[in-house]
Amino acid sequence: AKACGKNVYKLFDKKMNEHANERVTLLSDLRLALEREEFVLHYQPKVDLLTGNVTSVEALVRWMHPRLGMLAPDKFIRLSEESGLIADLTDWVLRTACTQAKKWQEQNLGSVRVAVNLSPYHFQRQDVKEAIFSVLDATGLEPALLEIEITESALMQNDEYTCELLRELRGLGMTISVDDFGTGYSSLSYLHRFPINTLKIDRTFILNMMKSSEDQAIVTAIIAMAKSLNMQIVAEGVETVDQLEKLKDQGCHEIQGFLVSRPVTAETVEQFFTPENHL
Ligand code: C2E
Ligand code: CA
Ligand code: CA
Ligand code: CA
């Protein structure tokens, strides 16, 4: 039994080592990937339920790894946050997304906003603001065509600074959206102090809404609350017509999800744009 225990321990040890090695390898790959720009953005439309127009497209990053193929963000965002590389990655995402939005505007494809996810890990830092300003400057994109998605946890970290930063961005005409809303335990009294345009109801509530009356009640409450605070409501992760109908009945403003489109290349997402789609 003793020998057996030792073997199990050895196996465990080996697995831990493998895991650590994989991490080290992926981290050095990530450094190289930033130099070589091995990333691509896919875009997912948000659609206004009243007009059917695309209001905004969310930029979602993918890593074209030379050996492992296309990696989804859950494979490398955490690593980039923990290693501090998220700042460089965000720079790349902002630059690429704003360049694309500018191109769409110049092609008269309509004034569609581009939405960029900002990690709570580096949202606090001064360089986020500088990154945003320098990208707008370099691309010539008007701030009204840039949307920022932040999570509730980012709001709750350092509220004085965050509030001021958001005011400044909002003052320039940017749209501020709160991502994954409903999962971060922020209170109503807390939320209304921030200059927020939009709440994005987390996908899990939309997923469970049809089978759970509690989740249905939460969705109803979020929509009512957002309306009373004059915020726009986006339901994320909408996959079925049933969900769409229910959300429409509840007075939800916009939807995003596989029902409309998966995240796709810039070229593919253009097919959803309507030329009269002005802000
Ligand atoms: P998120 O911001 O909540 O983005 C939505 C995620 O849900 C995306 O996954 C999208 O593909 C997926 N999704 C959209 N509609 C549906 C649907 O109808 N059904 C289902 N099952 N899923 C749907 P993705 O692209 O894998 O991104 C995952 C997360 O990675 C994002 O969650 C975001 O938190 C993070 N992320 C992605 N790109 C970036 C980025 O450029 N910077 C930062 N900091 N984070 C990013
Ligand atoms: Ca998002
Ligand atoms: Ca989300
Ligand atoms: Ca999410």
Side-chain angles (χ1 to χ4, degrees):
K2 214 174 181 183
C4 178
K6 203 171 173 187
N7 283 338
V8 168
Y9 177 74
K10 266 192 178 157
L11 185 67
F12 181 67
D13 209 36
K14 189 164 168 258
K15 285 266 179 251
M16 294 279 287
N17 266 325
E18 275 170 12
H19 184 74
N21 287 340
E22 269 168 29
R23 225 187 104 93
V24 170
T25 308
L26 206 59
L27 184 55
S28 67
D29 286 355
L30 189 57
R31 287 212 170 84
L32 270 180
L34 283 161
E35 272 171 37
R36 297 174 180 165
E37 305 195 35
E38 289 170 0
F39 303 96
V40 63
L41 291 183
H42 282 180
Y43 298 88
Q44 190 181 35
K46 304 176 195 178
V47 173
D48 185 307
L49 285 176
L50 272 183
T51 63
N53 284 341
V54 173
T55 56
S56 157
V57 292
E58 179 175 4
L60 294 156
V61 68
R62 277 92 183 87
W63 178 3
M64 311 303 269
H65 192 287
R67 274 179 301 109
L68 303 172
M70 190 168 90
L71 298 181
D74 64 316
K75 296 280 187 296
F76 61 92
I77 290 288
R78 174 74 63 83
L79 184 66
S80 71
E81 288 171 338
E82 290 168 357
S83 62
L85 292 173
I86 187 71
D88 289 339
L89 183 60
T90 305
D91 277 348
W92 183 87
V93 171
L94 273 168
R95 185 156 36 88
T96 307
C98 290
T99 303
Q100 184 60 61
K102 182 75 187 174
K103 216 177 273 172
W104 282 327
Q105 193 189 22
E106 283 170 353
Q107 288 169 343
N108 283 322
L109 285 170
S111 296
V112 175
R113 290 193 305 267
V114 71
V116 171
N117 290 283
L118 291 186
S119 160
Y121 275 72
H122 93 305
F123 185 64
Q124 309 293 330
R125 292 171 24 189
Q126 189 63 27
D127 53 7
V128 171
K129 183 167 134 186
E130 275 159 21
I132 294 172
F133 286 1
S134 88
V135 160
L136 289 176
D137 206 46
T139 58
L141 185 72
E142 46 189 288
L145 292 181
L146 179 59
E147 178 173 342
I148 297 300
E149 294 197 9
I150 48 167
T151 57
E152 285 178 88
S153 62
L155 290 180
M156 282 151 79
Q157 277 174 32
N158 179 350
D159 53 349
E160 285 300 312
Y161 176 74
T162 301
C163 199
E164 229 167 87
L165 174 55
L166 292 181
R167 280 228 172 85
E168 197 172 347
L169 301 181
R170 173 77 185 272
L172 290 170
M174 277 172 237
T175 300
I176 313 292
S177 290
V178 178
D179 209 352
D180 303 342
F181 186 75
T183 60
Y185 312 103
S186 60
S187 68
L188 180 64
S189 60
Y190 199 85
L191 258 192
H192 90 272
R193 302 179 10 231
F194 294 95
I196 295 162
N197 299 90
T198 304
L199 295 185
K200 297 185 72 180
I201 308 176
D202 191 66
R203 190 154 69 75
T204 53
F205 297 112
I206 308 303
L207 184 69
N208 297 327
M209 185 175 67
M210 306 312 288
K211 38 182 204 278
S212 147
S213 57
E214 283 93 350
D215 283 285
Q216 172 61 63
I218 291 170
V219 170
T220 305
I222 294 176
I223 293 174
M225 180 194 87
K227 288 196 163 165
S228 69
L229 294 175
N230 282 318
M231 290 175 187
Q232 188 79 0
I233 283 283
V234 177
E236 55 175 36
V238 178
E239 294 184 357
T240 68
V241 174
D242 284 350
Q243 291 168 334
L244 166 68
E245 291 302 332
K246 191 119 214 164
L247 288 161
K248 230 182 194 164
D249 289 347
Q250 302 278 322
C252 179
H253 303 120
E254 296 174 40
I255 61 163
Q256 183 181 12
F258 294 172
L259 180 65
V260 177
S261 170
R262 289 181 175 260
V264 291
T265 61
E267 202 181 28
T268 307
V269 85
E270 287 171 8
Q271 73 187 24
F272 296 99
F273 298 175
T274 40
E276 68 276 3
N277 192 2
H278 289 294
L279 279 178

PDB file of all heavy atoms in Angstrom, residues 58 117 149 179-181 200-203 236 256, ligand 3:
ATOM      1  N   GLU A  58     -19.197  43.497 -31.022  1.00  0.00           N
ATOM      2  CA  GLU A  58     -18.220  43.249 -29.969  1.00  0.00           C
ATOM      3  C   GLU A  58     -17.005  42.539 -30.545  1.00  0.00           C
ATOM      4  O   GLU A  58     -17.123  41.527 -31.241  1.00  0.00           O
ATOM      5  CB  GLU A  58     -18.834  42.387 -28.860  1.00  0.00           C
ATOM      6  CG  GLU A  58     -17.833  42.095 -27.742  1.00  0.00           C
ATOM      7  CD  GLU A  58     -18.437  41.343 -26.562  1.00  0.00           C
ATOM      8  OE1 GLU A  58     -19.630  40.975 -26.618  1.00  0.00           O
ATOM      9  OE2 GLU A  58     -17.691  41.111 -25.584  1.00  0.00           O
ATOM     10  N   ASN A 117     -13.549  44.702 -24.930  1.00  0.00           N
ATOM     11  CA  ASN A 117     -13.546  44.243 -23.537  1.00  0.00           C
ATOM     12  C   ASN A 117     -12.292  44.726 -22.831  1.00  0.00           C
ATOM     13  O   ASN A 117     -11.183  44.520 -23.317  1.00  0.00           O
ATOM     14  CB  ASN A 117     -13.564  42.706 -23.489  1.00  0.00           C
ATOM     15  CG  ASN A 117     -14.892  42.142 -23.943  1.00  0.00           C
ATOM     16  OD1 ASN A 117     -15.875  42.160 -23.210  1.00  0.00           O
ATOM     17  ND2 ASN A 117     -14.924  41.653 -25.192  1.00  0.00           N
ATOM     18  N   GLU A 149     -16.501  47.660 -22.772  1.00  0.00           N
ATOM     19  CA  GLU A 149     -17.201  46.696 -21.920  1.00  0.00           C
ATOM     20  C   GLU A 149     -16.351  46.376 -20.700  1.00  0.00           C
ATOM     21  O   GLU A 149     -15.207  45.946 -20.829  1.00  0.00           O
ATOM     22  CB  GLU A 149     -17.510  45.401 -22.697  1.00  0.00           C
ATOM     23  CG  GLU A 149     -18.490  45.622 -23.823  1.00  0.00           C
ATOM     24  CD  GLU A 149     -19.130  44.336 -24.345  1.00  0.00           C
ATOM     25  OE1 GLU A 149     -18.955  43.257 -23.735  1.00  0.00           O
ATOM     26  OE2 GLU A 149     -19.810  44.421 -25.391  1.00  0.00           O
ATOM     27  N   ASP A 179     -20.625  44.399 -18.467  1.00  0.00           N
ATOM     28  CA  ASP A 179     -20.657  43.043 -19.014  1.00  0.00           C
ATOM     29  C   ASP A 179     -21.071  42.034 -17.941  1.00  0.00           C
ATOM     30  O   ASP A 179     -20.852  42.271 -16.763  1.00  0.00           O
ATOM     31  CB  ASP A 179     -19.221  42.711 -19.482  1.00  0.00           C
ATOM     32  CG  ASP A 179     -19.218  41.734 -20.635  1.00  0.00           C
ATOM     33  OD1 ASP A 179     -20.279  41.195 -20.986  1.00  0.00           O
ATOM     34  OD2 ASP A 179     -18.121  41.518 -21.184  1.00  0.00           O
ATOM     35  N   ASP A 180     -21.626  40.916 -18.381  1.00  0.00           N
ATOM     36  CA  ASP A 180     -21.961  39.802 -17.476  1.00  0.00           C
ATOM     37  C   ASP A 180     -22.800  40.279 -16.301  1.00  0.00           C
ATOM     38  O   ASP A 180     -22.626  39.810 -15.173  1.00  0.00           O
ATOM     39  CB  ASP A 180     -20.686  39.124 -16.937  1.00  0.00           C
ATOM     40  CG  ASP A 180     -19.776  38.625 -18.040  1.00  0.00           C
ATOM     41  OD1 ASP A 180     -20.251  38.485 -19.173  1.00  0.00           O
ATOM     42  OD2 ASP A 180     -18.594  38.382 -17.769  1.00  0.00           O
ATOM     43  N   PHE A 181     -23.711  41.205 -16.542  1.00  0.00           N
ATOM     44  CA  PHE A 181     -24.440  41.800 -15.438  1.00  0.00           C
ATOM     45  C   PHE A 181     -25.325  40.768 -14.733  1.00  0.00           C
ATOM     46  O   PHE A 181     -25.978  39.946 -15.361  1.00  0.00           O
ATOM     47  CB  PHE A 181     -25.306  42.983 -15.885  1.00  0.00           C
ATOM     48  CG  PHE A 181     -25.928  43.678 -14.715  1.00  0.00           C
ATOM     49  CD1 PHE A 181     -25.159  44.497 -13.912  1.00  0.00           C
ATOM     50  CD2 PHE A 181     -27.252  43.448 -14.378  1.00  0.00           C
ATOM     51  CE1 PHE A 181     -25.704  45.096 -12.783  1.00  0.00           C
ATOM     52  CE2 PHE A 181     -27.807  44.052 -13.261  1.00  0.00           C
ATOM     53  CZ  PHE A 181     -27.025  44.871 -12.462  1.00  0.00           C
ATOM     54  N   LYS A 200     -25.445  44.573 -19.860  1.00  0.00           N
ATOM     55  CA  LYS A 200     -25.545  43.340 -20.638  1.00  0.00           C
ATOM     56  C   LYS A 200     -25.891  42.201 -19.676  1.00  0.00           C
ATOM     57  O   LYS A 200     -25.073  41.824 -18.839  1.00  0.00           O
ATOM     58  CB  LYS A 200     -24.215  43.039 -21.335  1.00  0.00           C
ATOM     59  CG  LYS A 200     -23.826  44.109 -22.350  1.00  0.00           C
ATOM     60  CD  LYS A 200     -22.567  43.704 -23.110  1.00  0.00           C
ATOM     61  CE  LYS A 200     -22.850  42.581 -24.092  1.00  0.00           C
ATOM     62  NZ  LYS A 200     -21.627  42.184 -24.836  1.00  0.00           N
ATOM     63  N   ILE A 201     -27.102  41.695 -19.790  1.00  0.00           N
ATOM     64  CA  ILE A 201     -27.538  40.618 -18.893  1.00  0.00           C
ATOM     65  C   ILE A 201     -26.741  39.353 -19.202  1.00  0.00           C
ATOM     66  O   ILE A 201     -26.680  38.922 -20.357  1.00  0.00           O
ATOM     67  CB  ILE A 201     -29.040  40.312 -19.054  1.00  0.00           C
ATOM     68  CG1 ILE A 201     -29.865  41.588 -18.934  1.00  0.00           C
ATOM     69  CG2 ILE A 201     -29.497  39.276 -18.023  1.00  0.00           C
ATOM     70  CD1 ILE A 201     -31.355  41.375 -19.174  1.00  0.00           C
ATOM     71  N   ASP A 202     -26.139  38.783 -18.180  1.00  0.00           N
ATOM     72  CA  ASP A 202     -25.282  37.628 -18.384  1.00  0.00           C
ATOM     73  C   ASP A 202     -26.027  36.471 -19.044  1.00  0.00           C
ATOM     74  O   ASP A 202     -27.202  36.221 -18.788  1.00  0.00           O
ATOM     75  CB  ASP A 202     -24.677  37.165 -17.054  1.00  0.00           C
ATOM     76  CG  ASP A 202     -23.577  36.146 -17.277  1.00  0.00           C
ATOM     77  OD1 ASP A 202     -22.542  36.530 -17.847  1.00  0.00           O
ATOM     78  OD2 ASP A 202     -23.768  34.961 -16.934  1.00  0.00           O
ATOM     79  N   ARG A 203     -25.276  35.795 -19.883  1.00  0.00           N
ATOM     80  CA  ARG A 203     -25.741  34.659 -20.664  1.00  0.00           C
ATOM     81  C   ARG A 203     -26.423  33.574 -19.816  1.00  0.00           C
ATOM     82  O   ARG A 203     -27.378  32.943 -20.261  1.00  0.00           O
ATOM     83  CB  ARG A 203     -24.503  34.079 -21.350  1.00  0.00           C
ATOM     84  CG  ARG A 203     -24.681  33.064 -22.374  1.00  0.00           C
ATOM     85  CD  ARG A 203     -23.485  33.119 -23.327  1.00  0.00           C
ATOM     86  NE  ARG A 203     -22.218  32.669 -22.754  1.00  0.00           N
ATOM     87  CZ  ARG A 203     -21.906  31.395 -22.538  1.00  0.00           C
ATOM     88  NH1 ARG A 203     -22.780  30.449 -22.805  1.00  0.00           N
ATOM     89  NH2 ARG A 203     -20.728  31.076 -22.066  1.00  0.00           N
ATOM     90  N   GLU A 236     -27.359  38.915 -23.574  1.00  0.00           N
ATOM     91  CA  GLU A 236     -26.306  38.178 -24.285  1.00  0.00           C
ATOM     92  C   GLU A 236     -26.595  36.683 -24.286  1.00  0.00           C
ATOM     93  O   GLU A 236     -27.333  36.170 -23.454  1.00  0.00           O
ATOM     94  CB  GLU A 236     -24.911  38.494 -23.722  1.00  0.00           C
ATOM     95  CG  GLU A 236     -24.716  38.280 -22.251  1.00  0.00           C
ATOM     96  CD  GLU A 236     -23.264  38.503 -21.808  1.00  0.00           C
ATOM     97  OE1 GLU A 236     -22.578  39.402 -22.338  1.00  0.00           O
ATOM     98  OE2 GLU A 236     -22.819  37.772 -20.909  1.00  0.00           O
ATOM     99  N   GLN A 256     -27.857  39.838 -28.367  1.00  0.00           N
ATOM    100  CA  GLN A 256     -26.591  39.391 -28.949  1.00  0.00           C
ATOM    101  C   GLN A 256     -26.551  37.887 -28.705  1.00  0.00           C
ATOM    102  O   GLN A 256     -26.936  37.428 -27.637  1.00  0.00           O
ATOM    103  CB  GLN A 256     -25.434  40.085 -28.209  1.00  0.00           C
ATOM    104  CG  GLN A 256     -24.060  39.769 -28.741  1.00  0.00           C
ATOM    105  CD  GLN A 256     -22.958  40.469 -27.936  1.00  0.00           C
ATOM    106  OE1 GLN A 256     -23.208  41.007 -26.852  1.00  0.00           O
ATOM    107  NE2 GLN A 256     -21.744  40.451 -28.452  1.00  0.00           N
TER     108      GLN A 256
HETATM  109 CA    CA B   3     -20.584  38.980 -21.393  1.00  0.00          CA
END
